[in-house]
Amino acid sequence: MSIWQNRLYLYSAAALVFGIWFSLKLVLKKKSFSKDVGPWVYKAVKSNDIPDRDTSVHVSGVKIFYGSQTGTAKGFAEELSEEVKTLGIPAEVIDIKDYDPDDQLADECTNKSVCVFLVATYTDGQPTENAEWFCKWLEEASTDFRYGKTYLKGLRYAVFGLGNSVYVGHYNTVGKNVDKWLWMLSGMRIMTRGEGDCNVVKSRNGSIQADFVSWKVRFLKRLQALAKGEKKSCSGNCKTGGLCKSKRKDGQEEEEEKEEEKEEKEDLIESSSDEEDSGLQDEKNSGSVVDMEDLGKIMNSAKKAKRQTCEEREFKALYPHFCAVREFEKLSNKCCSFSFCAGYKLIGSHSGVKLCRWTKSMLRGRGGCYKHTFYGIESHRCMETTPSLACANKCVFCWRHHTNPVGTEWRWKMDPAEKILQDALEKHQSMIRQFRGVPGVKPERYEEGLAVKHCALSLVGEPIMYPEINTFIRLLHSHRISSFLVTNAQFPKEIRSLVPVTQLYVSVDASTKDSLKKIDRPLFKDFWPRFLDSLRALGEKRQRTVYRLTLVKAWNVEEMQSYSELIALGQPDFIEVKGVTYCGESSASSLTMANVPWHQEVVAFVQQLADMLPQYEIACEHEHSNCLLMAHTKFKVDGEWWTWIDYERFQELVQAHEESGGQQGFSALDYMAKTPSWALFGASEQGFDPADTRFQRRNKTKDISGC
């Protein structure tokens, strides 16, 4: 073969490769992402997680929500309402502070209305006072697996934010967030988010009023198309919402359309980058279209900026004392990815507090958690916290998704117990205060909620690892706060040295060595001897003790005989049996909804277990948490169950114990109280307090909420 033939083959191959590359580029450009899709959904769009959102259904009305402090947003809402009515479409203006999203927002998905949100941003990036609860609920719902990705599927919405670009870094933050959170819940944006700027120098139209008018005109056009049920042929340049632009005959309208497209391009680049990233800032200033081939760069830069911001501003400020640099780097990435976003309030170097969803539920008269049914706690007065975020297990069903640190010993600088408790109480009360004026919150329960009466040391991690755990418990009791401590049964020595607590839990997640290793994934090599010794240590306690069994279908429900042997080893006062809570997809766990047992299956398991334990009977049930309580027959007096706790009596007993230097002891029977009939197993209420009103979310086919 001659040299010219070789060259000919090479040129032909190069031409073929170039042709394929050029064809792919054209296809990718035609299939470029909608300009109105924010960066938070790129991954979902790529993996087809976002369902088709068709806007061809007619409009029954428009609901205009406003969050206003000075009255500007309210004025815009009323103005928009009048304009909508002139189109023959019903319109309603709603103050967000008077609207209960938990009760009502999901209903907007089915009534064919369009929801408009006019929300203002404060100088520090916070919502106005009357919109604070709505924004907080929306943020938590968007990241809470209990609501689900499609909770607001069918909701058609538009957002206009009011802000001031003078405050760099906080311009229209609330509007952007509301837009993002609604989309994350599968809401369908019908048009580009509008932004009004009080800074006339930077305002696109010269004033915030002009900004709103410009957005309003586009909204009304889009609304008319929706009302007619139009679904025009696509030219390849669709905007989010499924409506495509028809050919314009009017030159002015064509110019308006081009200007709108330009604004949307700027919105996309702005929302997908960090202001401090010079490369992407240049991209934004140029107003160029983001093609598929540029998507990777944008996502990497956005992720990097977000990660750096989170680590530097949050983790480094709150976790300055981790001793090992390598460990610090690991923990910073983990804790940033979940703890802050999930509503945790970190305390000092190794502690945290979070507002339990049952606290919120009981504040609104929607029932308490299983501990209310089984033991009589007041859920709206319960603080969920931990003095140690670290844990010695990596359980497959951990709903913290293993974002907290792990270890077998204490490796961090220790914060004083007094400081931990003080900060926990302050942060908890601060979260309670956010419920002031929230629709549905009972005023008397709000006032009671500010005074913490119970403390659940079960938030995350292993609280018993904290070296000053006894001091912390004593401080709780000195504030007349009851203590419910949960341990993973890997620290028998610490269990034996523990001072009296109101109720001491041990998690018994499996009954054999192999299944425990598979489910709890302990870090200790001698985890099984430690586990058994922890159960023996629990049996030596005189105060109330509990085994907590978490049933994982196809993992540990067949080990009946082994469970009975472990119960005989520790002789707990109570045995809680609960179906596992599915916490969503996670790389840290292989569990699926198939592993969640139905309530009837949990009942059947407990009944079989009770038949094998002559000293225990089924006492209580909390169907809402998929949980049952077995109690030792010593708590059944004259045929009646006494599983509840006399908390005032406990405080008297523990005070006398401390004052006597531990000489004056007491037992679980000394502070028991009678269980009400509605809490008993077999009652028609199935553990739901009749003083409250049960609330179930839309399209809820199986309750996996748990606590």
Side-chain angles (χ1 to χ4, degrees):
M1 185 179 292
S2 67
I3 187 171
W4 295 108
Q5 287 177 315
N6 288 333
R7 288 182 178 180
L8 181 62
Y9 283 126
L10 289 174
Y11 291 150
S12 300
L16 178 62
V17 171
F18 178 80
I20 295 174
W21 171 81
F22 187 76
S23 300
L24 286 173
K25 184 174 182 180
L26 290 177
V27 172
L28 290 174
K29 281 195 173 184
K30 288 182 179 180
K31 294 184 178 181
S32 59
F33 284 99
S34 169
K35 307 174 185 65
D36 204 25
V37 178
W40 54 85
V41 296
Y42 276 135
K43 183 177 180 181
V45 172
K46 186 175 181 182
S47 61
N48 296 322
D49 286 340
I50 299 296
D52 181 31
R53 302 179 184 179
D54 186 7
T55 60
S56 60
V57 184
H58 75 276
V59 178
S60 63
V62 177
K63 293 188 176 182
I64 307 168
F65 301 85
Y66 70 87
S68 181
Q69 193 72 19
T70 62
T72 303
K74 181 179 180 181
F76 287 168
E78 293 172 346
E79 177 183 336
L80 181 60
S81 174
E82 294 302 318
E83 295 278 2
V84 171
K85 290 177 181 177
T86 61
L87 301 177
I89 301 175
E92 180 183 1
V93 176
I94 302 172
D95 189 341
I96 287 182
K97 73 175 182 180
D98 300 324
Y99 188 81
D100 188 348
D102 211 4
D103 273 347
Q104 301 169 281
L105 193 56
D107 295 334
E108 311 297 349
C109 301
T110 56
N111 60 15
K112 300 180 182 180
S113 62
V114 171
C115 296
V116 180
F117 299 92
L118 308 178
V119 288
T121 302
Y122 267 177
T123 58
D124 57 353
Q126 298 300 313
T128 56
E129 184 177 346
N130 62 337
E132 184 176 3
W133 159 246
F134 178 84
C135 292
K136 182 175 179 62
W137 178 89
L138 201 59
E139 178 183 15
E140 292 186 352
S142 67
T143 57
D144 192 334
F145 68 89
R146 299 182 182 95
Y147 286 89
K149 294 179 180 179
T150 60
Y151 184 65
L152 295 182
K153 183 179 180 181
L155 174 71
R156 296 178 294 176
Y157 73 93
V159 177
F160 182 83
L162 295 79
N164 194 330
S165 59
V166 170
Y167 305 108
V168 179
H170 298 304
Y171 175 58
N172 260 310
T173 300
V174 175
K176 295 174 184 176
N177 285 339
V178 168
D179 190 13
K180 175 180 69 174
W181 296 327
L182 289 170
W183 183 275
M184 290 172 67
L185 289 167
S186 291
M188 180 188 60
R189 183 197 299 137
I190 65 169
M191 64 175 293
T192 309
R193 182 187 68 250
E195 293 186 352
D197 196 343
C198 292
N199 182 6
V200 295
V201 177
K202 292 289 186 68
S203 172
R204 287 175 175 171
N205 300 282
S207 68
I208 191 171
Q209 289 79 10
D211 291 337
F212 175 70
V213 170
S214 175
W215 179 84
K216 179 183 68 175
V217 170
R218 300 199 303 272
F219 171 77
L220 293 174
K221 291 179 181 178
R222 191 64 54 87
L223 184 64
Q224 284 181 299
L226 286 173
K228 294 177 182 178
E230 294 181 1
K231 193 174 184 182
K232 302 177 182 178
S233 59
C234 182
S235 61
N237 296 315
C238 303
K239 298 186 183 306
T240 296
L243 292 179
C244 305
K245 294 296 177 182
S246 59
K247 294 182 179 180
R248 301 287 187 176
K249 295 181 180 180
D250 190 297
Q252 183 178 359
E253 289 185 352
E254 187 70 31
E255 290 298 321
E256 291 177 357
E257 194 58 39
K258 291 180 179 179
E259 180 63 26
E260 181 180 346
E261 291 182 1
K262 180 180 178 181
E263 292 176 1
E264 291 181 342
K265 295 173 187 176
E266 294 175 355
D267 286 341
L268 175 61
I269 298 172
E270 177 183 2
S271 61
S272 62
S273 63
D274 190 277
E275 292 292 342
E276 298 176 358
D277 191 299
S278 58
L280 292 180
Q281 182 64 19
D282 293 339
E283 184 82 1
K284 175 186 173 184
N285 293 337
S286 67
S288 61
V289 179
V290 180
D291 288 333
M292 179 76 82
E293 52 264 43
D294 300 322
L295 188 58
K297 297 178 181 179
I298 291 179
M299 289 301 297
N300 289 336
S301 299
K303 288 179 179 178
K304 179 181 178 181
K306 180 179 179 181
R307 182 171 62 250
Q308 290 176 343
T309 301
C310 191
E311 290 176 8
E312 292 175 5
R313 296 181 183 177
E314 301 285 357
F315 192 87
K316 289 183 180 180
L318 294 168
Y319 275 74
H321 304 310
F322 284 105
C323 60
V325 176
R326 184 178 300 175
E327 190 68 17
F328 172 84
E329 293 174 351
K330 294 179 182 178
L331 296 174
S332 62
N333 291 333
K334 286 187 176 182
C335 288
C336 283
S337 65
F338 180 78
S339 296
F340 301 114
C341 299
Y344 282 61
K345 303 296 182 183
L346 299 181
I347 302 169
S349 302
H350 49 73
S351 309
V353 64
K354 188 179 187 291
L355 201 63
C356 176
R357 82 176 193 89
W358 290 108
T359 301
K360 306 172 191 176
S361 176
M362 203 161 188
L363 282 170
R364 308 175 78 185
R366 294 179 173 178
C369 76
Y370 75 92
K371 290 193 291 292
H372 172 63
T373 298
F374 296 171
Y375 316 119
I377 76 158
E378 298 168 280
S379 299
H380 62 297
R381 303 185 68 180
C382 182
M383 175 177 69
E384 189 176 22
T385 186
T386 181
S388 172
L389 290 166
C391 188
N393 286 351
K394 299 178 69 175
C395 303
V396 295
F397 53 77
C398 179
W399 49 28
R400 320 306 177 188
H401 292 310
H402 311 145
T403 52
N404 56 300
V406 293
T408 57
E409 60 183 5
W410 189 262
R411 300 195 307 268
W412 303 278
K413 179 179 177 180
M414 185 177 64
D415 295 326
E418 295 81 1
K419 179 64 175 175
I420 296 174
L421 180 58
Q422 178 185 349
D423 288 357
L425 290 171
E426 290 177 357
K427 292 179 183 294
H428 176 83
Q429 290 167 346
S430 176
M431 290 185 283
I432 292 290
R433 289 192 181 95
Q434 294 177 5
F435 283 80
R436 183 177 183 180
V438 169
V441 171
K442 296 186 175 183
E444 66 277 9
R445 290 194 177 178
Y446 168 80
E447 294 298 331
E448 291 173 348
L450 292 172
V452 177
K453 187 176 180 181
H454 314 283
C455 179
L457 295 166
S458 60
L459 175 62
V460 66
E462 176 59 84
I464 207 170
M465 285 181 67
Y466 175 50
E468 294 296 324
I469 185 63
N470 282 337
T471 302
F472 187 81
I473 292 173
R474 289 190 178 103
L475 284 171
L476 285 174
H477 297 162
S478 68
H479 286 75
R480 303 191 76 79
I481 299 174
S482 66
S483 52
F484 289 76
L485 188 147
V486 182
T487 175
N488 287 319
Q490 288 295 298
F491 296 91
K493 180 180 177 181
E494 285 74 6
I495 292 177
R496 286 190 170 91
S497 62
L498 197 66
V499 298
V501 297
T502 309
Q503 190 153 283
L504 178 60
Y505 288 78
V506 166
S507 295
V508 181
D509 303 324
S511 60
T512 67
K513 181 178 180 179
D514 290 340
S515 59
L516 187 69
K517 183 177 182 179
K518 182 180 178 182
I519 293 176
D520 277 7
R521 296 188 290 190
L523 273 64
F524 282 108
K525 292 182 179 180
D526 59 339
F527 67 91
W528 186 246
R530 282 177 169 271
F531 178 74
L532 296 178
D533 199 24
S534 294
L535 300 185
R536 296 188 190 96
L538 190 81
E540 298 168 8
K541 295 293 180 180
R542 297 191 61 199
Q543 290 74 42
R544 295 168 66 106
T545 58
V546 183
Y547 274 14
R548 182 164 188 180
L549 278 59
T550 301
L551 299 187
V552 186
K553 190 188 294 186
W555 287 58
N556 64 357
V557 296
E558 306 298 332
E559 304 168 356
M560 200 74 64
Q561 182 60 41
S562 299
Y563 273 120
S564 65
E565 293 172 359
L566 292 181
I567 292 169
L569 185 65
Q571 289 291 312
D573 294 322
F574 304 97
I575 305 167
E576 294 176 3
V577 185
K578 182 183 182 302
V580 68
T581 299
Y582 177 61
C583 306
E585 296 178 0
S586 168
S587 59
S589 173
S590 59
L591 292 185
T592 67
M593 274 299 298
N595 298 114
V596 180
W598 293 93
H599 184 64
Q600 293 83 350
E601 294 174 311
V602 177
V603 171
F605 176 90
V606 175
Q607 288 174 334
Q608 293 180 51
L609 186 60
D611 291 339
M612 302 175 65
L613 303 170
Q615 292 182 305
Y616 294 87
E617 295 180 12
I618 305 176
C620 301
E621 175 184 25
H622 193 245
E623 185 266 347
H624 195 28
S625 288
N626 200 10
C627 187
L628 277 82
L629 177 71
M630 296 175 63
H632 197 284
T633 52
K634 65 183 179 182
F635 291 94
K636 194 171 188 179
V637 182
D638 297 329
E640 296 181 319
W641 284 110
W642 288 62
T643 66
W644 276 34
I645 298 173
D646 185 337
Y647 293 99
E648 292 302 319
R649 179 58 180 159
F650 170 79
Q651 297 297 347
E652 295 172 359
L653 292 169
V654 78
Q655 182 179 354
H657 175 81
E658 291 296 329
E659 291 175 351
S660 66
Q663 297 300 315
Q664 185 173 334
F666 62 100
S667 71
L669 297 177
D670 293 328
Y671 56 100
M672 63 180 183
K674 187 177 179 180
T675 310
S677 59
W678 58 264
L680 299 177
F681 176 68
S684 59
E685 294 86 352
Q686 290 189 294
F688 190 86
D689 192 338
D692 289 340
T693 302
R694 184 163 181 176
F695 172 79
Q696 291 181 317
R697 298 190 182 97
R698 181 178 67 95
N699 295 335
K700 201 71 173 178
T701 57
K702 182 175 181 181
D703 193 341
I704 59 168
S705 49
C707 176

